[in-house]
Amino acid sequence: MVRALIGAAGFNADELIAAARSDDVSRIYARNGEDAIKADVFGAPAYVLDGEFFWGQDRLELLDDALASGRAPYRTL
């Protein structure tokens, strides 16, 4: 099913799956996990922008607004 979806999206399924299983992607995945631990992320999905956390898909609009406005991150007192 995944191969069919990849093909329907216009990509070569074999190439994309091979790339996803590559050592480079494994290293990136491991580094992202290490970065999440260092940032005290406790759930997924989580996004960190300039030290400000956005947890959950329902916060994507807030993250989008923060990116679009270029505002400084909120900091706790």
Side-chain angles (χ1 to χ4, degrees), residues 35-60:
D35 289 347
I37 290 168
K38 288 178 189 173
D40 293 327
V41 170
F42 60 84
Y47 310 91
V48 182
L49 175 63
D50 297 327
E52 182 178 352
F53 292 90
F54 299 85
W55 284 285
Q57 289 300 107
D58 59 331
R59 299 299 188 259
L60 283 177

